[in-house]
Short mmCIF file of all heavy atoms in Angstrom, two decimals:
data_model
loop_
_atom_site.label_atom_id
_atom_site.label_comp_id
_atom_site.label_asym_id
_atom_site.label_seq_id
_atom_site.Cartn_x
_atom_site.Cartn_y
_atom_site.Cartn_z
N GLY A 21 42.94 75.08 -23.01
CA GLY A 21 43.83 74.01 -23.48
C GLY A 21 45.10 74.53 -24.13
O GLY A 21 45.80 73.79 -24.83
N TYR A 22 45.43 75.81 -23.87
CA TYR A 22 46.64 76.40 -24.46
C TYR A 22 47.88 76.12 -23.62
O TYR A 22 48.99 76.15 -24.15
CB TYR A 22 46.47 77.91 -24.62
CG TYR A 22 45.41 78.32 -25.63
CD1 TYR A 22 44.77 79.55 -25.53
CD2 TYR A 22 45.03 77.48 -26.67
CE1 TYR A 22 43.79 79.93 -26.45
CE2 TYR A 22 44.06 77.85 -27.59
CZ TYR A 22 43.45 79.08 -27.47
OH TYR A 22 42.49 79.46 -28.37
N ILE A 23 47.70 75.91 -22.32
CA ILE A 23 48.83 75.61 -21.44
C ILE A 23 48.46 74.47 -20.51
O ILE A 23 47.28 74.17 -20.30
CB ILE A 23 49.27 76.85 -20.62
CG1 ILE A 23 48.11 77.37 -19.73
CG2 ILE A 23 49.80 77.96 -21.52
CD1 ILE A 23 48.51 78.49 -18.79
N GLU A 24 49.48 73.85 -19.92
CA GLU A 24 49.26 72.76 -18.97
C GLU A 24 50.40 72.78 -17.96
O GLU A 24 51.44 73.39 -18.18
CB GLU A 24 49.20 71.41 -19.69
CG GLU A 24 50.46 71.07 -20.45
CD GLU A 24 50.32 69.82 -21.33
OE1 GLU A 24 49.19 69.34 -21.52
OE2 GLU A 24 51.36 69.34 -21.82
N GLY A 25 50.19 72.07 -16.84
CA GLY A 25 51.21 72.01 -15.80
C GLY A 25 50.95 73.06 -14.74
O GLY A 25 51.01 74.25 -15.02
N LYS A 26 50.67 72.64 -13.52
CA LYS A 26 50.29 73.57 -12.46
C LYS A 26 51.50 74.24 -11.80
O LYS A 26 51.37 75.31 -11.23
CB LYS A 26 49.46 72.85 -11.39
CG LYS A 26 48.08 72.42 -11.90
CD LYS A 26 47.24 73.61 -12.35
CE LYS A 26 45.87 73.18 -12.83
NZ LYS A 26 45.07 74.32 -13.33
N LYS A 27 52.66 73.60 -11.87
CA LYS A 27 53.85 74.21 -11.24
C LYS A 27 54.82 74.75 -12.27
O LYS A 27 55.41 75.81 -12.10
CB LYS A 27 54.55 73.18 -10.34
CG LYS A 27 53.74 72.83 -9.10
CD LYS A 27 54.54 71.95 -8.15
CE LYS A 27 53.74 71.69 -6.87
NZ LYS A 27 54.49 70.84 -5.91
N SER A 28 55.01 74.00 -13.32
CA SER A 28 55.90 74.40 -14.40
C SER A 28 55.06 74.46 -15.68
O SER A 28 54.63 73.43 -16.18
CB SER A 28 57.04 73.38 -14.54
OG SER A 28 57.88 73.72 -15.61
N ILE A 29 54.79 75.66 -16.17
CA ILE A 29 53.80 75.84 -17.24
C ILE A 29 54.40 75.51 -18.60
O ILE A 29 55.40 76.10 -19.02
CB ILE A 29 53.25 77.27 -17.24
CG1 ILE A 29 52.47 77.52 -15.94
CG2 ILE A 29 52.34 77.51 -18.45
CD1 ILE A 29 52.00 78.94 -15.76
N LYS A 30 53.76 74.56 -19.27
CA LYS A 30 54.17 74.17 -20.61
C LYS A 30 53.07 74.55 -21.60
O LYS A 30 51.90 74.32 -21.34
CB LYS A 30 54.42 72.66 -20.67
CG LYS A 30 54.91 72.16 -22.03
CD LYS A 30 55.14 70.66 -22.02
CE LYS A 30 55.62 70.17 -23.38
NZ LYS A 30 55.81 68.72 -23.40
N VAL A 31 53.46 75.13 -22.71
CA VAL A 31 52.48 75.48 -23.74
C VAL A 31 52.16 74.22 -24.56
O VAL A 31 53.07 73.50 -24.98
CB VAL A 31 53.01 76.59 -24.66
CG1 VAL A 31 51.96 76.98 -25.71
CG2 VAL A 31 53.39 77.82 -23.84
N THR A 32 50.89 73.96 -24.77
CA THR A 32 50.47 72.78 -25.52
C THR A 32 50.70 73.00 -27.02
O THR A 32 50.87 74.14 -27.46
CB THR A 32 48.97 72.49 -25.29
OG1 THR A 32 48.23 73.60 -25.81
CG2 THR A 32 48.66 72.29 -23.81
N PRO A 33 50.67 71.92 -27.83
CA PRO A 33 50.78 72.10 -29.28
C PRO A 33 49.73 73.06 -29.84
O PRO A 33 50.00 73.83 -30.75
CB PRO A 33 50.59 70.69 -29.83
CG PRO A 33 51.09 69.80 -28.72
CD PRO A 33 50.70 70.49 -27.45
N LEU A 34 48.51 73.02 -29.25
CA LEU A 34 47.46 73.94 -29.70
C LEU A 34 47.86 75.39 -29.41
O LEU A 34 47.73 76.26 -30.28
CB LEU A 34 46.14 73.61 -29.01
CG LEU A 34 44.97 74.56 -29.29
CD1 LEU A 34 44.65 74.61 -30.78
CD2 LEU A 34 43.73 74.15 -28.49
N GLY A 35 48.34 75.65 -28.20
CA GLY A 35 48.77 77.00 -27.85
C GLY A 35 49.90 77.48 -28.74
O GLY A 35 49.93 78.64 -29.18
N MET A 36 50.85 76.59 -29.02
CA MET A 36 51.97 76.94 -29.90
C MET A 36 51.46 77.30 -31.29
O MET A 36 51.91 78.27 -31.91
CB MET A 36 52.96 75.77 -29.99
CG MET A 36 53.65 75.40 -28.69
SD MET A 36 54.82 76.65 -28.09
CE MET A 36 56.16 76.47 -29.25
N LYS A 37 50.51 76.49 -31.80
CA LYS A 37 50.02 76.69 -33.16
C LYS A 37 49.24 78.00 -33.29
O LYS A 37 49.34 78.70 -34.31
CB LYS A 37 49.14 75.51 -33.58
CG LYS A 37 48.83 75.46 -35.07
CD LYS A 37 50.12 75.27 -35.87
CE LYS A 37 49.90 75.11 -37.33
NZ LYS A 37 51.15 74.96 -38.08
N VAL A 38 48.45 78.31 -32.28
CA VAL A 38 47.67 79.55 -32.32
C VAL A 38 48.60 80.75 -32.43
O VAL A 38 48.41 81.63 -33.28
CB VAL A 38 46.76 79.66 -31.08
CG1 VAL A 38 46.18 81.07 -30.95
CG2 VAL A 38 45.61 78.65 -31.16
N ILE A 39 49.63 80.79 -31.58
CA ILE A 39 50.55 81.93 -31.61
C ILE A 39 51.37 81.94 -32.90
O ILE A 39 51.56 82.99 -33.52
CB ILE A 39 51.48 81.91 -30.37
CG1 ILE A 39 50.66 82.15 -29.10
CG2 ILE A 39 52.60 82.94 -30.50
CD1 ILE A 39 49.93 83.47 -29.05
N GLU A 40 51.84 80.78 -33.31
CA GLU A 40 52.62 80.68 -34.56
C GLU A 40 51.81 81.21 -35.75
O GLU A 40 52.33 81.96 -36.59
CB GLU A 40 52.99 79.21 -34.78
CG GLU A 40 53.76 78.93 -36.06
CD GLU A 40 53.90 77.43 -36.31
OE1 GLU A 40 54.29 76.70 -35.36
OE2 GLU A 40 53.60 76.99 -37.43
N THR A 41 50.54 80.85 -35.81
CA THR A 41 49.69 81.28 -36.93
C THR A 41 49.41 82.78 -36.87
O THR A 41 49.48 83.47 -37.90
CB THR A 41 48.36 80.50 -36.90
OG1 THR A 41 48.65 79.09 -36.90
CG2 THR A 41 47.50 80.83 -38.09
N LEU A 42 49.07 83.28 -35.68
CA LEU A 42 48.78 84.71 -35.55
C LEU A 42 50.03 85.56 -35.82
O LEU A 42 49.94 86.62 -36.43
CB LEU A 42 48.20 85.00 -34.17
CG LEU A 42 46.83 84.36 -33.88
CD1 LEU A 42 46.37 84.69 -32.48
CD2 LEU A 42 45.79 84.80 -34.90
N GLU A 43 51.19 85.10 -35.36
CA GLU A 43 52.45 85.81 -35.64
C GLU A 43 52.68 85.92 -37.14
O GLU A 43 53.15 86.94 -37.64
CB GLU A 43 53.63 85.07 -35.00
CG GLU A 43 53.85 85.37 -33.54
CD GLU A 43 54.99 84.55 -32.97
OE1 GLU A 43 55.28 83.46 -33.50
OE2 GLU A 43 55.59 84.99 -31.98
N LYS A 44 52.35 84.85 -37.84
CA LYS A 44 52.63 84.78 -39.28
C LYS A 44 51.70 85.69 -40.09
O LYS A 44 52.15 86.35 -41.04
CB LYS A 44 52.47 83.33 -39.73
CG LYS A 44 52.81 83.08 -41.20
CD LYS A 44 52.71 81.58 -41.49
CE LYS A 44 52.99 81.26 -42.95
NZ LYS A 44 52.86 79.79 -43.20
N TYR A 45 50.43 85.74 -39.71
CA TYR A 45 49.44 86.43 -40.55
C TYR A 45 48.95 87.76 -39.98
O TYR A 45 48.74 88.71 -40.72
CB TYR A 45 48.25 85.51 -40.81
CG TYR A 45 48.61 84.28 -41.60
CD1 TYR A 45 48.69 83.03 -41.00
CD2 TYR A 45 48.89 84.36 -42.96
CE1 TYR A 45 49.03 81.89 -41.72
CE2 TYR A 45 49.24 83.24 -43.70
CZ TYR A 45 49.30 82.00 -43.07
OH TYR A 45 49.65 80.89 -43.79
N VAL A 46 48.70 87.83 -38.66
CA VAL A 46 48.17 89.06 -38.05
C VAL A 46 48.84 89.29 -36.69
O VAL A 46 48.21 89.14 -35.64
CB VAL A 46 46.63 89.01 -37.89
CG1 VAL A 46 45.90 89.47 -39.12
CG2 VAL A 46 46.17 87.61 -37.49
N PRO A 47 50.13 89.64 -36.69
CA PRO A 47 50.87 89.73 -35.43
C PRO A 47 50.35 90.77 -34.45
O PRO A 47 50.60 90.67 -33.24
CB PRO A 47 52.30 90.07 -35.89
CG PRO A 47 52.14 90.62 -37.27
CD PRO A 47 50.97 89.93 -37.86
N GLU A 48 49.61 91.76 -34.95
CA GLU A 48 49.14 92.81 -34.04
C GLU A 48 48.14 92.27 -33.01
O GLU A 48 47.98 92.84 -31.94
CB GLU A 48 48.50 93.95 -34.84
CG GLU A 48 48.69 95.29 -34.13
CD GLU A 48 48.22 96.46 -34.96
OE1 GLU A 48 47.71 96.26 -36.08
OE2 GLU A 48 48.34 97.58 -34.47
N ILE A 49 47.50 91.15 -33.33
CA ILE A 49 46.54 90.55 -32.39
C ILE A 49 47.21 90.20 -31.06
O ILE A 49 46.60 90.30 -30.00
CB ILE A 49 45.90 89.28 -33.01
CG1 ILE A 49 44.90 89.67 -34.10
CG2 ILE A 49 45.19 88.44 -31.95
CD1 ILE A 49 44.25 88.49 -34.79
N ILE A 50 48.47 89.80 -31.14
CA ILE A 50 49.17 89.35 -29.92
C ILE A 50 50.27 90.33 -29.52
O ILE A 50 51.22 89.96 -28.83
CB ILE A 50 49.75 87.93 -30.12
CG1 ILE A 50 50.55 87.85 -31.43
CG2 ILE A 50 48.63 86.90 -30.10
CD1 ILE A 50 51.27 86.55 -31.63
N SER A 51 50.11 91.58 -29.93
CA SER A 51 51.13 92.61 -29.63
C SER A 51 51.08 93.02 -28.16
O SER A 51 50.06 93.53 -27.68
CB SER A 51 50.91 93.83 -30.52
OG SER A 51 51.64 94.92 -30.04
#
């Protein structure tokens, strides 16, 4: 449920929040 759209991929609010939170507190997880 992090992305949607089969032709043009849009990040969902959940996907945005997960990355925003990890960037803020533990950015190495998504390095």
Side-chain angles (χ1 to χ4, degrees):
Y22 294 155
I23 59 174
E24 60 188 11
K26 292 299 181 183
K27 291 187 176 180
S28 178
I29 295 174
K30 182 180 180 182
V31 182
T32 63
L34 175 59
M36 296 292 288
K37 193 63 175 179
V38 167
I39 293 300
E40 178 189 312
T41 305
L42 295 178
E43 277 178 334
K44 183 176 178 181
Y45 296 106
V46 273
E48 211 174 1
I49 287 179
I50 50 174
S51 166

